[in-house]
Amino acid sequence: MIGGGQLARMMHAASIGLGLRLRLLAEGPDVSAAQVVHDVVVGDYTDPDTVAAFAAGCDVVTFDHEHVPTQILHDLEAAGIAVRPGPEALVHAQDKAVMRERLGALGVPCPTNRVVPDAAALVAFADEYGWPCIAKTSRGGYDGKGVWKLDGPEQANIPFDGLHGLRADAVVIAEEFVDFTRELSVLVARRPGGQAVVYPVSETVQTDGICVATTTPAPGLRPDQVRDLQAMALRIAQELGVVGILAVELMEARDGRIVVNELAMRPHNTGHWSIDGAVTSQFENHLRAVADLPLGSTAMVAPCAVMVNVLGGPRTDLLGGLDGLFAFDRAIKVQLYGKDVVPGRKVGHVTAVGDDVEDTTGRAWRAARYLRGDSDE
Ligand SMILES: Nc1ncnc2c1ncn2[C@@H]1O[C@H](COP(=O)(O)OP(=O)(O)O)[C@@H](O)[C@H]1O
Ligand SMILES: [Mg+2]
């Protein structure tokens, strides 16, 4: 496992029952997953020698993020190590320009978009398709960093000024601003031979580019819409040759159109509910997929599941919040990531499952607010 964040930490938990031995390449000795994994190498995942030495003796390499340079992954494959997802698939999660071009060729609905070399080209695009417009870096963005909403031509330099702070090899993509009413996501797990399973569609609330909550299944979708979105995600996974989890982030526009925002090829924040809300979690299915084992059922264990992220707030001692939390709600489930509490940082999440969306949503939000220290209730 390359990358020691909370996704690796939760995959470690899933690996235990499967009897898979995880070796971790961690950014530091005390990052989230390094606190729990036994076999840890601390090193720089952008250094070819570090990654090669780490991977020697591994049957398969997978990731908790998408930032390992493509050339390093090709080198691993040349050395006979299975890389899952492989570099040809992963590039669609690393580079939004490559992703847009490929999805366009597949006929997958996306916002109108164009790679623009300079501010003048960006203005020309937006004059054609309308202001405001979205500009984003093709590479290196995360949690909304590297995405700009531009209101007029006077702001057209912003992405070009911001770009090179993020990545030297990135380009700017101009996109039609989608006036969305909500964001959705659909997750697929796929094995090397093509067996694949798909999870129910989730609704996701993003604030300032960060996922803060999900509701599964997404309320208000017609059964035929759900089927179409699931079929689309399965088709994307197959066409791109994804192995492991593919997350398809979607935007539902005011006019009802649903378009793809971006792709991720790893367990995804919008799938965290599946630990407590599905027969097989996204973390377990990711590991089963990369280990080429039959995939587990994605059926829900209750009619609805609501996940709320715990973002760093007034409470610095999260463990101190568990007493009140568990005393109040004996069915609430918590994952803490072992991170220092920094304002706004993702330090954990809570999940409630239940029969009634309103009640389950209330329980999950109350728990998250209490845990981060917003309220004593
Ligand atoms: N074309 C668009 N129209 C409107 N909002 C957008 C568009 N593209 C992105 N966004 C908003 O910006 C957020 C972050 O964009 P995304 O490409 O997913 O970047 P990141 O890599 O940071 O997750 C999205 O979740 C969505 O809320
Ligand atoms: Mg995103």
Side-chain angles (χ1 to χ4, degrees), residues 96 111 134 136 141-145 147 175-178 180 183 206 209 249 251 261-262:
K96 290 175 185 171
I134 294 285
K136 49 175 86 170
Y142 62 96
D143 282 353
K145 291 177 189 61
V147 176
E175 286 191 0
E176 158 205 1
F177 171 72
V178 178
F180 61 80
E183 295 184 67
Q206 313 269 134
E249 297 181 6
M251 299 180 279
N261 175 35
E262 66 163 339

Side-chain angles (χ1 to χ4, degrees), residues 7 9 88 138 169 224 244 265 312 316 368-369:
L7 302 179
R9 182 181 172 105
E88 272 86 16
S138 59
D169 58 349
D224 62 296
M265 290 178 201
T316 51
R369 288 200 184 100

Side-chain angles (χ1 to χ4, degrees), residues 175-189:
E175 286 191 0
E176 158 205 1
F177 171 72
V178 178
D179 183 19
F180 61 80
T181 49
R182 60 175 175 168
E183 295 184 67
L184 303 168
S185 86
V186 52
L187 271 59
V188 167

Side-chain angles (χ1 to χ4, degrees), residues 156-206:
N157 276 313
I158 293 174
F160 296 93
D161 294 342
L163 189 63
H164 296 292
L166 289 163
R167 278 288 288 250
D169 58 349
V171 298
V172 172
I173 308 164
E175 286 191 0
E176 158 205 1
F177 171 72
V178 178
D179 183 19
F180 61 80
T181 49
R182 60 175 175 168
E183 295 184 67
L184 303 168
S185 86
V186 52
L187 271 59
V188 167
R190 184 175 179 277
R191 280 173 83 181
Q195 189 209 0
V197 292
V198 60
Y199 284 89
V201 180
S202 297
E203 175 180 318
T204 152
V205 180
Q206 313 269 134

Side-chain angles (χ1 to χ4, degrees), residues 110-133:
C110 289
T112 305
N113 65 90
R114 182 184 297 161
V115 170
V116 287
D118 52 34
L122 175 53
V123 170
F125 174 90
D127 282 345
E128 189 175 343
Y129 294 102
W131 297 92
C133 97

Side-chain angles (χ1 to χ4, degrees), residues 216 300-306 352-357 359-360 363:
T216 311
M300 296 187 68
V301 299
C304 88
V306 177
V353 303
D355 298 328
D356 176 73
V357 188
D359 172 67
T360 309
R363 284 175 50 220

Side-chain angles (χ1 to χ4, degrees), residues 9-47:
R9 182 181 172 105
M10 290 183 271
M11 276 190 275
H12 169 69
S15 75
I16 295 171
L18 296 172
L20 298 175
R21 289 184 55 175
L22 207 64
R23 174 181 296 170
L24 182 72
L25 180 60
E27 298 81 349
D30 205 34
V31 295
S32 184
Q35 296 167 21
V36 295
V37 175
H38 172 67
D39 184 0
V40 180
V41 175
V42 174
D44 176 4
Y45 60 80
T46 66
D47 176 57

Side-chain angles (χ1 to χ4, degrees), residues 50-135:
T50 301
V51 177
F54 160 77
C58 290
D59 297 305
V60 53
V61 169
T62 191
F63 315 95
D64 120 313
H65 60 68
E66 289 128 351
H67 305 312
V68 182
T70 305
Q71 188 54 48
I72 292 183
L73 304 179
H74 284 295
D75 293 346
L76 288 180
E77 287 193 325
I81 295 164
V83 177
R84 294 173 179 161
E88 272 86 16
L90 197 60
V91 66
H92 300 90
Q94 295 174 316
D95 189 314
K96 290 175 185 171
V98 174
M99 177 269 293
R100 284 284 182 243
E101 197 184 327
R102 186 69 189 278
L103 293 187
L106 291 174
V108 170
C110 289
T112 305
N113 65 90
R114 182 184 297 161
V115 170
V116 287
D118 52 34
L122 175 53
V123 170
F125 174 90
D127 282 345
E128 189 175 343
Y129 294 102
W131 297 92
C133 97
I134 294 285

